Amino acid sequence: MWVTCLQENLAKGLATVGRAVAARATLPVTQNVLIQTDSGRLKLTATNLEIAISTWIGGQIESEGAITIPARMLTDFVNSLPAEKVEIELVGEPKGIHIMCANFEATINGTDAAEFPPIPSVSDGASITIPADTLRGALERVVFSAATDDSRPALTGVNMDIGETSLTLAAADGFRMSVEKSELANGPSDEVSCIVPAKTMSELQRLLSDPSGEVEFTVTEAKTQALFKMANVEVVTQLVQGTFPDYEKIMPVSHTTRADIDLQRMVQATRAASVFARDGSGIIRMVMSPPDAEGNGDGGSVAVSSRAEEMGDNKGVVIAKVEGDESKIAFNARFLTDVLNVMRGDDVIVETTTPSSPGLFRSETLSGYTHVIMPMYVQW
């Protein structure tokens, strides 16, 4: 026997690396998972040539060896097995593995490990350690703003600016932008800046399940690859080449209207407006009225409305603390919903200047987070 491990550990390991398996590839071996022994543990690796994910699981290793096996077939079969001990044996001709678990067994043909693409080694360059909960929270609030089309490659990634005491993540797609700044205990002596593909960051967010852990981040001196290293998982990724927009210059620095709104009530009003916005060009209108305007007395209000042509319209009013002038502005319904869904705490603060100027969203609870949305042009 080559390797013995628990079914649940093998299934979890295959699920961890599975998202890096190429869905469609000119290089067929990238649809396989590399299985190899490594320092007394079983190492699983998958890559689509842009991102590579490796994980280690415990097991009893009888001898050294390596093989690549079709990822989908192996994963589906292992998931169908009972939660018992799995025994794996290397098969010489044709190359593959023989799997046994309880009353089940299977033989799956594979490919020689030498044909698997080499995973880049990221050992030189700047390296920092980031608390897992800090990174995961920032990714949750930033990644969704990255562009999904390749017309501007730099916008398909998340920009990382790392200083001696701070980590700033930023993403933008030309219509909205998310920026989160977090404090670091031990940053690099020299500032580091790079653009990590948003797809990689999404996978990293999924893998950061232990909030008490840490992530070691290393980027090569040439800024072509980066490594995210966790307890039993490593993610190696190609970096996006290009120049990210200067988000400091894009960020509004002043406002004429500021509304402090109860987050849950704003979410509810936006959800209701989204029903009509689906059939109304995806537009949600917001009217922020300060005290003494339209009978608001000592408080203020935010009216959230939408209309569906020839079908109807809706309006929800949320009591809020509004300072400054009355403001009218319209946003894309999905963009507005996305940012409200990642806000934390009891309130959301919205700052505006004119109906044609960007709206700024932030929260007292998330002091380092800022989100900007470009407005929609509508007839009032």
Side-chain angles (χ1 to χ4, degrees):
M1 197 56 54
W2 176 41
V3 172
T4 303
C5 61
L6 294 177
Q7 182 271 344
E8 57 185 324
N9 291 343
L10 182 57
K12 182 178 179 181
L14 289 169
T16 296
V17 303
R19 298 287 285 272
V21 174
R24 294 179 297 274
T26 55
L27 190 62
V29 74
T30 57
Q31 295 181 315
N32 289 10
V33 58
L34 174 63
I35 308 173
Q36 60 187 137
T37 53
D38 182 26
S39 303
R41 293 188 297 171
L42 189 64
K43 180 181 179 181
L44 308 177
T45 302
T47 181
N48 59 14
L49 303 182
E50 294 180 356
I51 178 176
I53 301 178
S54 300
T55 188
W56 288 258
I57 62 175
Q60 183 177 347
I61 310 298
E62 298 292 337
S63 60
E64 300 297 319
I67 189 75
T68 82
I69 300 296
R72 182 175 179 180
M73 177 173 287
L74 177 62
T75 300
D76 289 348
F77 180 69
V78 170
N79 288 340
S80 71
L81 297 175
E84 297 187 26
K85 182 173 66 175
V86 175
E87 298 179 342
I88 305 175
E89 185 174 7
L90 285 173
V91 177
E93 201 58 47
K95 287 185 178 293
I97 56 173
H98 185 72
I99 306 176
M100 292 172 287
C101 178
N103 296 323
F104 298 85
E105 62 178 301
T107 299
I108 305 177
N109 296 335
T111 307
D112 193 287
E115 297 185 26
F116 199 78
I119 307 302
S121 174
V122 183
S123 55
D124 61 333
S127 180
I128 63 166
T129 300
I130 309 170
D133 59 338
T134 298
L135 183 57
R136 182 173 183 175
L139 291 175
E140 178 186 358
R141 292 182 286 273
V142 170
V143 174
F144 70 91
S145 293
T148 55
D149 65 86
D150 297 329
S151 59
R152 297 178 64 186
L155 297 185
T156 63
V158 175
N159 189 75
M160 295 183 68
D161 284 331
I162 308 166
E164 289 189 42
T165 60
S166 66
L167 166 67
T168 304
L169 300 185
D173 63 4
F175 302 99
R176 56 181 171 173
M177 179 177 68
S178 294
V179 179
E180 174 141 344
K181 186 174 184 178
S182 308
E183 293 185 358
L184 284 182
N186 297 300
S189 55
D190 297 324
E191 292 189 2
V192 176
S193 182
C194 62
I195 306 175
V196 183
K199 292 180 180 178
T200 298
M201 290 304 211
S202 294
E203 294 306 320
L204 186 62
Q205 180 184 341
R206 179 179 64 91
L207 295 170
L208 291 171
S209 57
D210 181 10
S212 63
E214 293 182 327
V215 179
E216 183 181 336
F217 172 70
T218 305
V219 57
T220 58
E221 290 185 5
K223 296 183 180 178
T224 53
Q225 286 109 15
L227 165 68
F228 294 90
K229 186 176 182 180
M230 293 152 277
N232 292 310
V233 180
E234 289 185 3
V235 177
V236 177
T237 180
Q238 300 288 335
L239 295 178
V240 179
Q241 303 305 305
T243 302
F244 196 82
D246 188 343
Y247 50 85
E248 296 286 356
K249 292 183 178 179
I250 299 173
M251 201 78 67
V253 295
S254 63
H255 61 273
T256 57
T257 306
R258 180 185 188 273
D260 192 332
I261 315 167
D262 180 274
L263 177 59
Q264 294 308 314
R265 292 182 179 179
M266 185 63 185
V267 168
Q268 187 175 34
T270 302
R271 186 180 296 126
S274 296
V275 174
F276 289 81
R278 284 199 300 262
D279 296 305
S281 303
I283 297 172
I284 289 181
R285 293 169 169 82
M286 290 177 59
V287 178
M288 291 175 277
S289 302
D292 299 322
E294 298 182 2
N296 285 310
D298 296 330
S301 67
V302 176
V304 181
S305 63
S306 60
R307 65 173 69 112
E309 299 298 334
E310 300 181 2
M311 295 186 68
D313 54 46
N314 95 301
K315 178 181 178 180
V317 179
V318 180
I319 301 301
K321 182 180 179 181
V322 182
E323 300 173 354
D325 304 328
E326 182 181 73
S327 173
K328 295 181 178 181
I329 194 166
F331 295 113
N332 176 285
R334 181 170 65 87
F335 292 174
L336 185 58
T337 300
D338 284 348
V339 66
L340 292 177
N341 284 342
V342 300
M343 285 292 184
R344 296 292 177 265
D346 298 325
D347 68 320
V348 56
I349 297 170
V350 183
E351 297 176 353
T352 63
T353 306
T354 69
S356 58
S357 301
L360 186 145
F361 294 75
R362 56 188 182 85
S363 167
E364 296 289 354
T365 304
L366 304 171
S367 58
Y369 181 65
T370 307
H371 186 84
V372 177
I373 306 179
M374 295 300 295
M376 305 282 284
Y377 297 96
V378 299
Q379 293 289 336
W380 291 93

